[in-house]
């Protein structure tokens, strides 16, 4: 019985069936008012969730919202490290996420004990960590960065400052190429972005000679070298809106296409092809896609699963995230 209670505590009522006569959108909006909740969503979650969210953005924008919201409850539709970051920044608020199993391959690629041993080999280096990492890694870091501020933050550091960059080696290499800085890289990667196929991409570009190829810096170097523009999800969306071009091949998780197509319905937006099979499948993050309207409804109704971060870890992690927010102004 105790084990069952622990399990309910851990995963909440994530898979509890919802009666088919429940109007999910109306109920989620009602719960939002009743509980003074704010729904934050990343661009990679399902379009129906993006449409009901109070704020959609990239990791930097979402952190800024989590730090400044006046809501009592933050409902984070994204992945676990995003909910954790919200809790780090707003420890007195309740933070819930629709599915606690929504992890991230990048965050998983850096276990805290192994990273601490790695860091110990470079005592004269500071640690810059991409926000896609656990609270423990944030606590071991000096400054957190996102895809939208990594270049600016690295460029603002003294030229002779030695740097460890973790956990995304692809973003790290991109920053090194752009800034000319040398950094020690932790060898992590995003399973979604590294799966974009160069061969299929080149075929797609031949079929769409007027298209611009834009990509997220989590992609591998041989893909980024083909790109007309590289940026965070928000930056990619802005690029598609602002560019005079009419056709774009988008090298990131396909969820961003929802907002792009809403913003510029007259433009042609094509997802960059993934390599894992022979069809022209686009790139989808299996973790982000764990967020469903049913799970969102259950998590708002039962206020579970909730995110907790041990206070000693939170305080150290908060310092590195706050440093990022300050340096991003
Ligand atoms: P941004 O939205 O900050 O560009 O990050 C992309 C991502 O991989 C989130 O998991
Ligand atoms: Fe993590 Fe990649 Fe999914 Fe983003 S797209 S949450 S980096 S696995």
């Amino acid at each position: 019985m105790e084990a069952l209670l622990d399990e309910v505590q851990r995963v909440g009522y994530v898979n509890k069936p919802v009666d088919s006569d429940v109007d999910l959108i109306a109920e989620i909006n009602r719960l939002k008012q009743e509980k003074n909740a704010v729904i934050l969503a990343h661009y990679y979650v399902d379009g129906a969730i993006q449409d009901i969210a109070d704020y959609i953005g990239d990791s930097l924008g979402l952190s800024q919202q989590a730090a400044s919201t006046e809501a009592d409850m933050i409902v984070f539709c994204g992945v676990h490290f995003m909910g954790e970051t919200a809790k780090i920044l707003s420890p007195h608020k309740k933070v819930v996420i629709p599915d606690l199993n929504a992890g991230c391959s990048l965050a998983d690629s850096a276990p805290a004990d192994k990273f601490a041993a790695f860091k110990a080999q470079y005592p004269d280096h500071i640690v810059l960590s991409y926000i896609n990492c656990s609270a423990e890694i944030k606590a071991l870091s000096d400054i957190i960065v996102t895809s939208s501020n990594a270049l600016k933050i690295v460029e603002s550091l003294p030229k002779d400052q030695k740097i460890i960059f973790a956990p995304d080696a692809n973003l790290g290499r991109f920053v090194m190429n752009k800034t000319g800085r040398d950094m020690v890289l932790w060898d992590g990667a995003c399973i979604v972005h590294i799966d974009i196929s160069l061969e299929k991409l080149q075929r797609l570009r031949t079929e769409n000679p007027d298209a611009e190829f834009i990509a997220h810096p989590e992609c591998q170097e041989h893909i980024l070298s083909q790109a007309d523009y590289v940026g965070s999800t928000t930056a990619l969306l802005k690029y598609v809106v602002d560019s005079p071009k009419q056709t774009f091949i988008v090298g990131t998780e396909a969820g961003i296409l929802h907002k792009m197509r809403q913003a510029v319905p007259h433009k042609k937006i094509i997802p960059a092809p993934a390599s894992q099979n022979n069809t022209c499948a686009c790139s989808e993050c299996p973790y982000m896609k764990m967020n469903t309207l049913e799970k969102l409804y259950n998590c708002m109704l039962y206020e579970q699963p909730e995110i907790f971060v041990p206070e000693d870890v939170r305080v150290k992690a908060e310092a590195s995230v706050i440093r990022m927010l300050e340096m991003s102004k």
Side-chain angles (χ1 to χ4, degrees):
M1 186 62 185
E2 220 164 88
L4 183 64
L5 283 176
D6 278 357
E7 187 62 4
V8 169
Q9 192 65 30
R10 204 181 68 77
V11 300
Y13 294 85
V14 60
N15 289 319
K16 195 168 185 288
V18 177
D19 283 347
S20 58
D21 57 356
V22 171
D23 180 340
L24 288 170
I25 304 287
E27 277 302 294
I28 290 167
N29 280 323
R30 184 186 64 76
L31 289 166
K32 205 157 71 174
Q33 299 297 325
E34 185 185 301
K35 303 192 179 207
N36 187 27
V38 64
I39 301 178
L40 306 182
H42 189 268
Y43 291 115
Y44 295 165
V45 299
D46 193 68
I49 296 180
Q50 292 188 43
D51 290 345
I52 205 173
D54 296 295
Y55 178 83
I56 316 160
D58 64 6
S59 303
L60 176 62
L62 287 163
S63 307
Q64 288 163 335
Q65 290 293 319
S68 63
T69 180
E70 293 192 346
D72 294 318
M73 180 163 80
I74 299 173
V75 184
F76 216 121
C77 298
V79 291
H80 188 267
F81 78 81
M82 295 181 169
E84 243 181 12
T85 308
K87 188 70 182 176
I88 289 165
L89 289 165
S90 285
H92 304 302
K93 296 192 190 299
K94 183 172 266 193
V95 179
V96 292
I97 64 172
D99 191 331
L100 213 50
N101 290 317
C104 167
S105 58
L106 262 172
D108 290 348
S109 73
D113 54 343
K114 291 205 172 62
F115 185 70
F118 178 77
K119 178 183 162 177
Q121 294 173 44
Y122 305 95
D124 54 348
H125 288 54
I126 64 163
V127 177
L128 261 57
S129 291
Y130 188 35
I131 198 163
N132 297 36
C133 64
S134 67
E136 288 76 14
I137 297 296
K138 289 184 175 76
L140 289 165
S141 305
D142 297 289
I143 312 170
I144 299 304
V145 302
T146 74
S147 53
S148 63
N149 59 24
L151 284 174
K152 179 178 167 180
I153 290 179
V154 169
E155 271 164 353
S156 74
L157 299 172
K159 292 263 176 293
D160 57 350
Q161 176 64 64
K162 294 178 177 168
I163 303 169
I164 294 175
F165 190 91
D168 189 5
N170 290 305
L171 175 63
R173 258 188 297 273
F174 170 73
V175 171
M176 280 167 53
N177 289 340
K178 281 277 172 195
T179 61
R181 301 281 292 247
D182 196 21
M183 302 193 293
V184 175
L185 302 179
W186 176 267
D187 194 17
C190 161
I191 50 165
V192 180
H193 287 87
I194 62 167
D195 196 40
I196 291 173
S197 159
L198 179 60
E199 195 190 323
K200 290 183 183 179
L201 172 66
Q202 283 169 338
R203 217 178 302 147
L204 206 50
R205 292 199 87 174
T206 312
E207 289 161 14
N208 296 274
D210 294 333
E212 282 197 303
F213 172 54
I214 60 174
H216 194 278
E218 287 174 23
C219 294
Q220 295 179 88
E221 204 171 358
H222 65 275
I223 298 290
L224 293 180
S225 66
Q226 307 287 313
D228 299 298
Y229 178 73
V230 177
S232 77
T233 48
T234 297
L236 295 177
L237 174 60
K238 186 173 181 320
Y239 188 89
V240 164
V241 171
D242 293 346
S243 168
K245 291 274 183 172
Q246 293 301 305
T247 309
F248 302 87
I249 299 170
V250 180
T252 191
E253 211 274 355
I256 187 80
L257 272 67
H258 179 69
K259 268 280 156 277
M260 288 177 172
R261 287 175 176 151
Q262 280 179 343
V264 281
H266 54 289
K267 294 190 179 181
K268 188 175 173 190
I269 317 282
I270 309 167
S275 66
Q276 74 220 145
N277 53 42
N278 289 326
T279 66
C280 202
C282 59
S283 308
E284 288 204 332
C285 173
Y287 307 108
M288 290 282 185
K289 281 356 186 214
M290 285 181 181
N291 291 275
T292 63
L293 279 179
E294 285 80 4
K295 290 180 193 173
L296 171 57
Y297 166 71
N298 275 339
C299 105
M300 292 184 76
L301 184 63
Y302 299 110
E303 302 185 17
Q304 284 185 348
E306 194 177 346
I307 298 281
F308 296 101
V309 181
E311 187 59 10
D312 56 332
V313 174
R314 192 199 67 77
V315 169
K316 288 185 193 147
E318 184 183 29
S320 59
V321 180
I322 296 279
R323 221 164 274 140
M324 168 190 83
L325 293 178
E326 291 297 322
M327 293 175 88
S328 306
K329 281 178 183 164

